[in-house]
Amino acid sequence: MSAQPDHTPAPAAPYAPAPGAPAELLAQLRADRRAERWVPAFEREWAAALEESRRTFSLTTLYEVVHVWQARLVSAPAVDAFTASGREETGFVDMAELRGRRRR
């Protein structure tokens, strides 16, 4: 007899958000100044993920939508600050310069 399992384990899903996370996230999006753009985008992505979840019996896509939008909300102040700084970076971002700034 082999000590090896006879099945392949399912790939690890991202951590599961709290059951109320999507509703809390939507409330935060509605309160944000970008609500006019972000709420419809979130709702579209959530609906598509929900449909995929129904089709595949997997919650992974729903978790991913929540994680991506949580990250957008968290990073929004940094993006705003960068935009307000007036620096023109449409061509590229110099990663070495960014690393140097963090060390200071």
Side-chain angles (χ1 to χ4, degrees), residues 4-77:
Q4 298 298 319
D6 61 352
H7 66 282
T8 304
Y15 80 89
E24 291 172 17
L25 181 57
L26 186 56
Q28 290 174 330
L29 291 172
R30 287 183 174 141
D32 193 274
R33 67 178 182 80
R34 302 164 193 84
E36 187 176 306
R37 291 185 325 260
W38 280 13
V39 170
F42 172 78
E43 289 173 339
R44 280 190 305 272
E45 289 180 29
W46 182 256
L50 191 57
E51 185 55 39
E52 176 155 338
S53 177
R54 288 180 182 137
R55 188 176 52 76
T56 63
F57 298 101
S58 170
L59 299 175
T60 301
T61 307
L62 291 169
Y63 294 170
E64 289 171 351
V65 168
V66 170
H67 294 161
V68 166
W69 281 96
Q70 286 172 333
R72 284 183 181 139
L73 275 173
V74 168
S75 64

